[in-house]
Amino acid sequence: MSTVRVVRQRPETAAWSDGDPYTDALRTGRGPLFLRRADGWLLPLDVERWCAAADAVDLEVLRRCEGAVLDVGCGPGRLVAALGAQGRPALGIDVSEAAVARTVRLGGQALRRSVFDPLPAEGRWGTALLIDGNVGIGGDPAALLDRIAQLLCEGGLLIVETVPGLDLDERVLVRVTDARGATGSPFPWARIGTPALLRLAQRAGWRAEGQWTVGGRSFAALRNRSTNSSAEPPNSTAVISSHRARKPSGDSAVTER
């Protein structure tokens, strides 16, 4: 396994402080909400879908998951909650307190943590999810793929939602903004299509497991580096028990004040 790139600062954290447009949207469950580039270009964020129950496209993603699932950038928690309702072990992580609080209210397990922070059960997760554009976290997909490789077990599965229909690899500085013009702090973000993701992943030692497009959304599945292509998935109960035991009091799942 290659050495992970050390990310000493986590600028994504600054974007999700209390009272910013993203936090307000999660508390109401409604948009409109956008990512705004410096040139004024806007990317709509699908807040209503994120705050709804998992839909048929989401459930197809979850059907493909193996072992214990780590949802990176879990947002308001629909995927973690759906996995829990199926009796499957899952943990969401997000830097937004409002997102973690909403996930917990839905009955999911979640921690307020960056993916680049120390995390429970590192190296033992069966599946990691980067859904709803979360491959953009930190503005450096290569560094993020390296970090996810550390978190997964050998032969573990990563499912990534990509930009549909485009061979795109874009690194930008953005702010979250709403229809009234309120904005959060700037942070680096990335957008990547499936072809660019697969090229990047291949160079990093991942193996392409599949790709599909459904409901206007595109996904790719990657298999983690492994010395054994038939590596067994981790013991799900052990992984979830581990994150419960190791969770320090300062990082407990939060509830909104």
Side-chain angles (χ1 to χ4, degrees):
M1 183 178 294
S2 63
T3 302
V4 144
R5 301 173 188 179
V6 177
V7 180
R8 292 184 173 84
Q9 294 182 335
R10 295 182 292 280
E12 76 273 19
T13 305
W16 319 122
S17 59
D18 286 343
D20 70 12
Y22 178 74
T23 297
D24 293 342
L26 289 195
R27 286 175 173 156
T28 63
R30 296 190 302 273
L33 200 67
F34 309 91
L35 291 184
R36 180 189 291 273
R37 286 193 318 220
D39 62 4
W41 177 88
L42 296 175
L43 174 67
L45 301 179
D46 203 349
V47 175
E48 286 84 357
R49 179 173 62 80
W50 298 349
C51 290
D55 61 19
V57 178
D58 296 326
L59 294 176
E60 172 60 21
V61 169
L62 301 187
R63 184 188 66 79
R64 297 169 183 257
C65 292
E66 304 168 355
V69 180
L70 181 67
D71 186 4
V72 177
C74 65
R78 73 186 192 282
L79 302 182
V80 177
L83 286 164
Q86 296 172 4
R88 302 172 66 183
L91 175 69
I93 59 169
D94 205 292
V95 296
S96 164
E97 182 175 357
V100 171
R102 189 163 182 139
T103 301
V104 171
R105 286 204 306 272
L106 290 177
Q109 296 189 59
L111 294 176
R112 189 181 186 189
R113 204 83 64 88
S114 165
V115 65
F116 296 106
D117 287 335
L119 292 173
E122 294 199 11
R124 286 184 285 160
W125 294 98
T127 302
L129 299 176
L130 290 171
I131 306 301
D132 300 327
N134 283 326
V135 68
I137 289 171
D140 187 347
L144 185 56
L145 287 178
D146 281 347
R147 177 57 177 146
I148 297 293
Q150 279 196 332
L151 299 174
L152 288 173
C153 64
E154 287 190 351
L157 186 67
L158 170 61
I159 301 179
V160 182
E161 185 166 0
T162 59
V163 177
L166 295 175
D167 188 1
L168 177 72
D169 189 356
E170 178 183 67
R171 320 298 169 87
V172 291
L173 194 67
V174 296
R175 296 173 184 261
V176 178
T177 185
D178 62 19
R180 299 169 299 174
T183 59
S185 302
F187 60 100
W189 196 251
R191 299 172 67 228
I192 192 166
T194 296
L197 174 69
L198 295 181
R199 291 193 297 269
L200 188 65
Q202 183 179 30
R203 291 196 295 269
W206 294 82
R207 176 165 57 87
E209 185 81 359
Q211 54 185 290
W212 66 98
T213 299
V214 60
R217 297 166 63 192
S218 294
F219 303 88
L222 305 172
R223 186 68 64 179
N224 195 19
R225 312 173 184 93
S226 175
T227 56
N228 177 6
S229 61
S230 61
E232 295 181 2
N235 183 299
S236 301
T237 303
V239 169
I240 293 299
S241 296
S242 173
H243 89 62
R244 283 177 176 152
R246 292 176 56 194
K247 183 171 64 180
S249 58
D251 288 316
S252 58
V254 301
T255 56
E256 288 188 286
R257 293 187 290 269

